[in-house]
Amino acid sequence: MSEGTSRQDALRAIAGWYEKTPARAGVALTNGYAGPGDSYAGPWHRVFGKDVFSQRVMRERLPKDVFKSFVNTISQGKPLDERIADTIANAMKDWAIENGATHYTHWFHPLTGSTAEKHDSFLIPDGQGGAVSEFTGAKLVQGEPDASSFPSGGVRATFEARGYTAWDATSPVFLSRGQNAVTLCIPTAFVSFGGEALDKKTPLLRSMDAVSDAARRILKIFGTDTGVSRVVSTCGAEQEYFLIDRRFYVNRPDLLMCKRTLFGAPSPKDQQLDDHYFGAIPERVHMYMAACEEVLYALGVPVATRHNEVSPGQFEIAPVFENANVATDHQQLTMQVLRTVAPRFGMQCILHEKPFAGVNGSGKHVNWALATDTGVNLLDPRDEAHTNMQFLVFLCAVIQAVDTHAPLLRATVGSAGNDHRLGANEAPPAIISIFLGDMLQDIIDQLEKGTPTSTKKNANLDLGATALPQIPRDSGDRNRTSPFAFTGNRFEFRAVGSSGSVAWPLTALNTIMAESLHAIADEIESAAGKNPTPAKLTATCKSVLKSVIKKHKRVLFSGDNYASNWHDEAEKRGLPNLRSTPDTLPVFTSKQTQAAFKNTKVLSKRELESRHAAYSEKYANETSIEARTMLSMARTLILPAVLRQQAELAETVAATEAAGVNTQDTRDALDIYVNQVTQTRMAIDALESALAGTQDFDHHKLPTALRDQVIPRMDELRKCADELERHTADDIWPLPSYAEMLFVR
Ligand code: ADP
Ligand code: MG
């Protein structure tokens, strides 16, 4: 597909794309899986998991005892028996090669937020001019990529480059398919020579262990731990994204470099009519979604929903939830597939949190809960009546954790991109609060006062009689404005940005929950003593939870989080409002954060400091790149264009005057235009010198300096340029417009 060079080329080419569409779509949709006569939906069932080294494949290919031992590792999170690694590696290799693979890779999650891979061939020269294929247990279990250029936040210097990847057997191995290359991908953790986590997976796995131990302690107190060998945190991440025609994308250096428009006057129409939200999915997008789903199904990613989102050009995909580790790997794959499949349809998928000013940005709602390996969701209020005090313990533990560590949760979703979204009027504000819904809020209120005796509306619980309520599932309305909302049997962390990994927010949630559960368990155990009677246990729980609620209820808020008076109210309650990423960065190294991560053995002080450094640098780099891209666009695209327009206006004045006609009106227009151009040039210079002024700062000072000195200059430059866009001839303006990008589908 050849890309156009100008907006006009782009528009012509888009028209041409539709003419070519049917053949293209036919290839994408059937692609060999659907035989003649197959129904549209039918083939997907056979595709699902096709590219995964799944339990089904393993059962077929591994000796019985090896299979059993391996399944044990996966389900219990137990260490892998090293003796079986060779057998597994061999089976994996055979399966991969039979499916067309030539290479394998240790696939990992560096601190960049994306995934990394370095491919190695299965092929080994046999010394006689031929080659054999080889893949050993050692190669499966451990790798040493020369990955010294990844951000480590100072944990290792480039000259001490050793970094190891270690197989995470709890997440399935899969095949990644390119046009003519198939690669066996092995999910791995990435650690330094000294064993420090250089990635996002290692802390996530540690946090899952921590929250499992803590939750099992609570279950033990209630005697509900029989048969439970592990509690897993679960995650279902809804992904919002934008699609624009790729020809517009390649004509916008800002989208190309920064995935966000740094200039652009608003379109006359955007989302005012709410006619895009949940609307009929445009045909080209629909074909794209089906193609993505096909790839994701083959990878075993259980995507389930698709729909139009609020902004024109915005869409959403969501999976069925899975354990947090697998869900995280699958979320990364989802983003990758969304990005790589779009060009096949002449489109570009944009995962940035705020690609277009003035319309909704994109989030990633992280649905999170805890479940036993026997299948009980511990955040489901509808458990058997006798376990409901247990539910209230888990609920209050969440309240305590979120209130205590609100700054940390805010910090885990901080990024240059998300700063444009959090607090804008479609996204939850930067103030972290919890929405419980009417029913739970009422129970919490009653519990705070003493013994709850009643329940709101159509509910069937009588806390007064048993103190162990049966709580109906739909216990209240939803609150779409809350950053952390209870949604029936899970919490939905809605402040997470669309472009990042869910690993870090999940790691933080698991960690602070583990800390909170341990604290509550300590109190219950010391107050109730050994083997308390059920009545004593209930009374103890009530009094412990009462004090938790008293202390932490300030974090509960059911009102409109978008309303400006919530900011005043939150301030009165003493809730932190960390407005931008530079405000959140110090949280990583605060005493409170360090204690939570250290006590749960999730991250050491040094590992936290390295994250502080890596995320500071990421913010600074992203912001500086945006500033430089703006400067380059303003100088090489916008200024030349507006000078052309200025010359045209001047020529018009001269020609009109030569014809002996009064030109006052055109002269005024020229005057105003020239003035705007001058303002723009001044704004360019101001941005340039502001950026130069931050060059010598280190990573501690740079983020704040960029936010305070550079970003305001970027805003000014954008204002000037957007004003010019409104007054410049369409055939002269060098960039695709908001209307074109948002409405051509
Ligand atoms: P909505 O947009 O109404 O929030 P969606 O169906 O788009 O609903 O997304 C809800 C997400 O929550 C899905 O990914 C779903 O699998 C997930 N989910 C449901 N139950 C749980 C749970 N117990 N733990 C984690 N995620 C869950
Ligand atoms: Mg949702």
Side-chain angles (χ1 to χ4, degrees):
M1 177 200 322
S2 70
E3 310 293 356
T5 51
S6 72
R7 293 173 58 220
Q8 282 67 32
D9 290 342
L11 287 166
R12 267 193 297 278
I14 290 161
W17 189 89
Y18 276 99
E19 281 155 30
K20 283 186 256 142
T21 301
R24 193 189 288 273
V27 172
L29 284 181
T30 55
N31 213 6
Y33 299 126
D38 270 335
S39 73
Y40 178 78
W44 293 166
H45 293 88
R46 264 173 282 143
V47 171
F48 193 82
K50 185 179 79 59
D51 287 339
V52 179
F53 193 69
S54 61
Q55 289 212 13
R56 194 182 315 153
V57 177
M58 283 188 256
R59 192 177 293 118
E60 282 165 12
R61 289 173 178 259
L62 293 176
K64 246 200 186 108
D65 54 329
V66 174
F67 174 71
K68 251 176 111 179
S69 153
F70 187 49
V71 168
N72 220 20
T73 300
I74 299 169
S75 58
Q76 309 299 323
K78 294 227 172 88
L80 181 81
D81 179 350
E82 276 171 32
R83 288 162 305 175
I84 66 173
D86 271 328
T87 315
I88 297 174
N90 209 39
M92 239 178 225
K93 180 203 70 184
D94 290 346
W95 169 78
I97 290 176
E98 281 165 35
N99 279 283
T102 55
H103 289 64
Y104 69 93
T105 182
H106 277 196
W107 185 76
F108 58 101
H109 303 247
L111 296 179
T112 55
S114 32
T115 54
E117 49 195 80
K118 176 199 159 207
H119 298 189
D120 279 299
S121 171
F122 286 124
L123 184 144
I124 304 281
D126 67 1
Q128 295 163 47
V132 292
S133 63
E134 191 195 86
F135 186 55
T136 59
K139 284 183 174 170
L140 166 65
V141 172
Q142 188 184 321
E144 194 202 337
D146 177 17
S148 50
S149 290
F150 285 112
S152 73
V155 163
R156 64 185 180 152
T158 322
F159 57 87
E160 6 172 72
R162 274 182 200 278
Y164 297 98
T165 49
W167 181 28
D168 164 23
T170 60
S171 182
V173 165
F174 59 92
L175 296 174
S176 120
R177 291 181 187 274
Q179 284 285 342
N180 62 351
V182 181
T183 308
L184 178 74
C185 297
I186 302 155
T188 56
F190 180 42
V191 295
S192 74
F193 187 66
E196 280 143 329
L198 294 170
D199 67 343
K200 302 209 174 193
K201 185 188 269 286
T202 309
L204 174 60
L205 287 171
R206 291 178 189 159
S207 77
M208 289 176 71
D209 287 345
V211 78
S212 175
D213 290 349
R216 282 172 63 204
R217 234 184 115 186
I218 301 290
L219 299 188
K220 193 141 188 266
I221 290 174
F222 283 96
T224 50
D225 60 332
T226 327
V228 175
S229 46
R230 200 168 163 79
V231 169
V232 289
S233 61
T234 53
C235 164
E238 304 160 50
Q239 172 78 50
E240 295 177 338
Y241 59 94
F242 276 85
L243 286 171
I244 70 167
D245 193 280
R246 194 165 151 77
R247 288 157 187 92
F248 294 142
Y249 175 79
V250 297
N251 275 297
R252 297 268 334 193
D254 45 5
L255 284 178
L256 213 51
M257 301 290 147
C258 315
K259 313 299 172 221
R260 167 168 102 85
T261 54
L262 302 169
F263 297 102
S267 158
K269 175 190 172 199
D270 46 56
Q271 61 191 39
Q272 306 92 328
L273 302 177
D274 278 336
D275 50 355
H276 185 66
Y277 188 52
F278 279 21
I281 299 172
E283 191 185 335
R284 176 158 60 149
V285 175
H286 204 166
M287 291 190 292
Y288 159 76
M289 287 173 164
C292 288
E293 285 159 9
E294 181 181 353
V295 179
L296 288 167
Y297 285 152
L299 291 168
V301 181
V303 287
T305 65
R306 44 157 112 120
H307 61 82
N308 289 4
E309 259 301 328
V310 172
S311 166
Q314 192 187 26
F315 306 90
E316 182 181 304
I317 182 170
V320 176
F321 70 95
E322 301 175 282
N323 90 50
N325 179 40
V326 175
T328 298
D329 284 356
H330 282 173
Q331 220 292 307
Q332 294 294 133
L333 286 175
T334 303
M335 291 197 286
Q336 191 176 321
V337 168
L338 286 173
R339 270 192 298 252
T340 50
V341 170
R344 266 202 246 161
F345 296 87
M347 296 190 293
Q348 185 70 31
C349 175
I350 301 173
L351 298 173
H352 192 279
E353 285 76 11
K354 195 80 177 178
F356 302 99
V359 293
N360 272 21
S362 300
K364 182 141 48 195
H365 300 171
V366 172
N367 293 269
W368 169 85
L370 296 174
T372 65
D373 57 357
T374 51
V376 179
N377 178 353
L378 300 172
L379 290 178
D380 190 342
R382 217 192 194 176
D383 282 339
E384 297 283 291
H386 68 277
T387 65
N388 274 345
M389 185 52 89
Q390 178 181 302
F391 165 73
L392 291 175
V393 166
F394 278 95
L395 181 67
C396 289
V398 175
I399 296 171
Q400 170 168 289
V402 173
D403 183 40
T404 309
H405 291 288
L408 171 65
L409 286 180
R410 168 66 185 91
T412 63
V413 301
S415 69
N418 217 11
D419 277 3
H420 296 285
R421 174 179 164 263
L422 291 183
N425 62 1
E426 89 285 356
I431 307 161
I432 300 290
S433 65
I434 302 178
F435 171 81
L436 288 181
D438 283 353
M439 163 72 95
L440 288 190
Q441 183 67 53
D442 184 50
I443 289 164
I444 291 292
D445 290 346
Q446 293 186 55
L447 199 50
E448 187 200 355
K449 289 190 195 105
T451 300
T453 53
S454 69
T455 191
K456 269 197 154 175
K457 288 195 285 236
N458 57 25
N460 53 354
L461 81 164
D462 180 359
L463 276 166
T466 62
L468 303 168
Q470 174 97 27
I471 301 162
R473 183 178 296 263
D474 286 321
S475 49
D477 199 3
R478 290 201 171 195
N479 184 330
R480 291 269 166 205
T481 68
S482 175
F484 202 83
F486 187 75
T487 50
N489 59 4
R490 62 189 183 270
F491 280 92
E492 186 174 354
F493 189 14
R494 304 177 66 251
V496 183
S498 53
S499 72
S501 162
V502 296
W504 194 207
L506 285 169
T507 302
L509 277 174
N510 292 338
T511 302
I512 63 178
M513 187 63 175
E515 182 194 52
S516 181
L517 287 169
H518 278 306
I520 291 178
D522 285 346
E523 291 203 26
I524 296 176
E525 281 173 358
S526 76
K530 274 212 153 40
N531 303 322
T533 61
K536 168 103 187 178
L537 178 60
T538 301
T540 308
C541 285
K542 263 195 269 176
S543 99
V544 169
L545 297 187
K546 186 174 165 174
S547 70
V548 169
I549 294 167
K550 272 205 175 351
K551 200 161 160 210
H552 298 290
K553 66 176 178 183
R554 63 175 189 163
V555 78
L556 302 176
F557 181 63
S558 323
D560 179 0
N561 290 65
Y562 298 171
S564 59
N565 56 5
W566 167 230
H567 289 239
D568 306 334
E569 160 85 20
E571 201 177 326
K572 271 191 221 131
R573 294 189 188 188
L575 297 179
N577 184 2
L578 303 175
R579 284 166 219 270
S580 66
T581 301
D583 293 334
T584 71
L585 291 166
V587 176
F588 291 130
T589 47
S590 75
K591 286 229 151 56
Q592 200 167 33
T593 303
Q594 280 175 0
F597 279 97
K598 182 167 170 252
N599 296 338
T600 51
K601 298 195 177 69
V602 174
L603 285 171
S604 67
K605 185 164 176 257
R606 194 164 127 99
E607 286 171 321
L608 272 172
E609 278 164 1
S610 75
R611 273 147 189 83
H612 173 262
Y615 296 143
S616 301
E617 274 163 20
K618 184 163 189 271
Y619 174 87
N621 281 331
E622 283 171 357
T623 308
S624 310
I625 290 170
E626 284 192 354
R628 284 199 292 274
T629 306
M630 264 194 123
L631 285 171
S632 138
M633 287 172 76
R635 288 234 161 86
T636 65
L637 283 163
I638 294 174
L639 269 187
V642 297
L643 289 176
R644 237 170 278 148
Q645 165 95 28
Q646 182 177 312
E648 268 190 24
L649 270 173
E651 278 163 27
T652 308
V653 172
T656 316
E657 259 174 14
V661 178
N662 183 328
T663 56
Q664 197 49 49
D665 187 40
T666 327
R667 267 181 182 281
D668 289 349
L670 177 61
D671 238 23
I672 292 170
Y673 197 83
V674 170
N675 192 25
Q676 280 169 354
V677 175
T678 310
Q679 299 280 328
T680 306
R681 209 183 277 111
M682 283 162 58
I684 295 172
D685 293 342
L687 173 55
E688 175 126 62
S689 61
L691 187 61
T694 61
Q695 287 312 292
D696 300 329
F697 292 137
D698 67 7
H699 78 258
H700 291 283
K701 290 212 186 112
L702 191 53
T704 321
L706 288 165
R707 181 197 62 195
D708 296 340
Q709 288 155 42
V710 173
I711 290 180
R713 302 290 96 74
M714 291 168 67
D715 293 343
E716 278 158 27
L717 174 55
R718 174 171 189 156
K719 220 166 123 204
C720 292
D722 290 359
E723 190 57 26
L724 278 171
E725 181 181 350
R726 273 187 224 108
H727 295 95
T728 301
D730 186 67
D731 63 337
I732 289 181
W733 191 255
L735 298 165
S737 70
Y738 264 38
E740 288 160 342
M741 288 187 285
L742 291 172
F743 285 96
V744 173
R745 288 176 209 141

